[in-house]
């Protein structure tokens, strides 16, 4: 009987000691209740409580936790059905609020997150929901963090993991993307042909301008040459006229022979003229050429007479005989 009493005393002592000494692990906080009422929070470390008066209420994990959001079907603004899932990172900042302000923190947070995902994606088109994930995450984080603040919870990050449209919609989007790429390719080809045509036309324009400039310069040079030739011919005609007026018949022969030779040259250049008949005497032509020679000698002799005489008087010049 004494051993049973001793055993009971030992068991009671162990229970009392266990309720007296409480060790809270790192990363956790325990709420303390006195007769079922919250009185305080135990931080990590060694604590002593009065047995049977103070009890441990909730053991709250104060580390950042990850909550998977199960996939759900969401109807977008343009009536497209997509399947969406995500992940949420949150941390309990106030153990008392997280323990007593909400019955089940994880279930409540999960329901709140899934509801807001449907709300946010339902206000967007399919293209916006696929291309603006950062905007969706930021909007969800703002709404959910504000809703969970009274629970003593801080939502640090929300990520939409996957947005999956139906298979037929994916095929239609692929065809649309292909058509858009082909359209851009055709536009680029047309733009290339347009630029090539512009460059070609500009080159032809520059070539025509340069060709016109060349023709203009050539015409100017040709007109200048004709002017020089006309001046020379006029000067020669003047000299011949003066010689004829002075009684020199050879000047007339020179003039006639020159025109005669020019006429023969033009006749020889004719493309239709294959045979040239000359019904004239060679002696006449030679006489004209002799007259040209005599006219040249007279011109040189007159130049010597006009020059200053050196070494005495010069013998008188005998006038040429007309042929």
């Amino acid at each position: 009987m004494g051993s049973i009493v001793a055993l009971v005393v030992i068991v009671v002592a162990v229970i009392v000691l266990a309720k007296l000494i409480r060790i809270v692990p790192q990363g956790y906080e325990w709420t303390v209740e006195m007769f079922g009422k919250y009185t305080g929070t135990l931080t990590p470390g060694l604590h002593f409580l009065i047995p049977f008066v103070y009890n441990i209420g909730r053991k709250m994990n104060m580390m950042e936790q990850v909550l998977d959001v199960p996939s759900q079907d969401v109807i977008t603004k343009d009536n497209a059905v997509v399947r969406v899932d995500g992940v949420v990172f949150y941390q309990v900042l106030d153990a008392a609020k997280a323990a007593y302000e909400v019955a089940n923190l994880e279930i409540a947070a999960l329901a709140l997150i899934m509801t807001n995902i449907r709300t946010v994606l339902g206000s967007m088109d399919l293209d916006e929901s696929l291309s603006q994930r950062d905007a969706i995450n930021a909007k969800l984080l703002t709404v959910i963090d504000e809703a969970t603040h009274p629970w003593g919870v801080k939502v640090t990050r929300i990520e939409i993991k996957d947005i999956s449209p139906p298979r037929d919609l994916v095929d239609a989007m692929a065809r649309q993307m292909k058509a858009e790429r082909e359209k851009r390719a055709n536009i680029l080809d047309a733009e290339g042909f347009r630029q090539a045509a512009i460059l070609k036309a500009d080159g032809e324009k520059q070539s025509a301008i340069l060709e016109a400039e060349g023709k203009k310069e050539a015409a100017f040079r040709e007109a200048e040459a004709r002017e020089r030739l006309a001046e020379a011919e006029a000067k020669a005609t003047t000299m011949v006229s003066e010689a004829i007026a002075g009684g020199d018949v050879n000047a007339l022969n020179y003039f006639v022979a020159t025109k005669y030779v020019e006429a023969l040259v033009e006749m020889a250049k004719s493309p239709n003229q294959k045979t040239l008949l000359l019904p004239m005497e060679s002696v006449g032509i030679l006489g004209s050429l002799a007259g040209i020679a005599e006219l040249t000698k007279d011109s040189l002799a007159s130049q010597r007479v006009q020059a200053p005489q050196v070494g005495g008087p010069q013998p008188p010049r005998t006038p040429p005989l007309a042929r």
Side-chain angles (χ1 to χ4, degrees):
M1 185 67 180
S3 59
I4 296 175
V5 172
L7 181 62
V8 170
V9 171
I10 293 173
V11 171
V12 171
V14 170
I15 294 174
V16 171
L17 185 62
K19 288 185 174 292
L20 175 65
I21 300 174
R22 296 301 176 97
I23 299 176
V24 181
Q26 184 66 38
Y28 286 84
E29 289 185 2
W30 294 356
T31 60
V32 179
E33 299 176 354
M34 184 179 66
F35 301 115
K37 182 180 179 180
Y38 169 76
T39 58
T41 303
L42 300 181
T43 58
L46 178 63
H47 299 273
F48 297 95
L49 297 178
I50 299 176
F52 306 109
V53 177
Y54 294 98
N55 294 317
I56 300 298
R58 304 287 179 88
K59 298 179 179 181
M60 303 303 300
N61 187 349
M62 306 301 292
M63 295 178 287
E64 187 172 3
Q65 302 178 62
V66 181
L67 182 63
D68 285 329
V69 180
S71 60
Q72 59 177 331
D73 292 333
V74 178
I75 301 176
T76 61
K77 185 178 180 180
D78 52 353
N79 296 325
V81 180
V82 295
R83 196 162 188 81
V84 185
D85 59 1
V87 61
V88 180
F89 296 85
Y90 70 96
Q91 185 177 11
V92 177
L93 300 181
D94 192 329
K97 289 183 178 181
Y100 300 110
E101 293 292 339
V102 60
N104 191 316
L105 179 61
E106 290 188 359
I107 294 177
L110 190 60
L112 182 63
I113 293 167
M114 294 180 68
T115 302
N116 280 277
I117 287 177
R118 288 195 297 269
T119 302
V120 172
L121 289 180
S123 63
M124 304 175 68
D125 295 333
L126 177 61
D127 294 337
E128 294 177 348
S129 63
L130 294 176
S131 60
Q132 299 183 9
R133 292 197 180 189
D134 292 339
I136 296 172
N137 295 334
K139 187 178 294 186
L140 287 174
L141 180 61
T142 302
V143 174
I144 294 174
D145 184 51
E146 183 179 356
T148 57
H149 181 72
W151 301 344
V153 176
K154 174 66 177 178
V155 179
T156 59
R157 191 176 184 86
I158 296 179
E159 292 289 341
I160 298 297
K161 292 194 298 184
D162 191 19
I163 301 178
S164 302
R167 184 62 188 176
D168 55 348
L169 189 58
V170 173
D171 295 338
M173 293 172 62
R175 291 193 300 270
Q176 180 182 1
M177 183 182 300
K178 182 179 179 181
E180 186 66 25
R181 289 180 177 177
E182 291 179 353
K183 174 184 176 182
R184 289 199 298 266
N186 293 332
I187 291 174
L188 291 176
D189 289 341
E191 187 67 23
F193 287 134
R194 176 175 175 269
Q195 292 294 333
I198 291 174
L199 292 176
K200 182 179 179 182
D202 187 64
E204 292 177 353
K205 175 184 176 183
Q206 294 296 330
S207 176
I209 291 174
L210 292 176
E211 184 178 359
E213 290 290 339
K215 289 181 178 180
K216 176 182 177 182
E217 184 68 20
F220 177 76
R221 297 298 183 184
E222 184 179 357
E224 186 177 6
R226 287 197 302 268
E227 183 179 357
R228 300 288 185 183
L229 181 61
E231 290 178 357
E233 186 175 356
K235 187 175 180 181
T237 303
T238 302
M239 291 177 62
V240 171
S241 299
E242 291 178 356
I244 293 173
D248 193 353
V249 184
N250 289 324
L252 182 60
N253 293 334
Y254 164 76
F255 187 76
V256 173
T258 301
K259 297 299 182 180
Y260 194 80
V261 171
E262 291 177 356
L264 290 178
V265 171
E266 293 298 329
M267 292 177 64
K269 289 182 179 179
S270 177
N272 297 325
Q273 188 65 36
K274 304 302 181 181
T275 303
L276 183 62
L277 300 178
L278 300 176
M280 62 193 67
E281 296 180 359
S282 306
V283 179
I285 299 175
L286 293 177
S288 299
L289 296 177
I292 296 172
E294 291 295 336
L295 182 60
T296 304
K297 290 179 182 180
D298 292 342
S299 177
L300 294 176
S302 63
Q303 292 178 2
R304 285 196 299 270
V305 170
Q306 294 176 1
Q309 295 183 359
V310 181
Q314 298 294 329
R317 182 173 62 87
T318 304
L321 299 176
R323 293 179 180 273

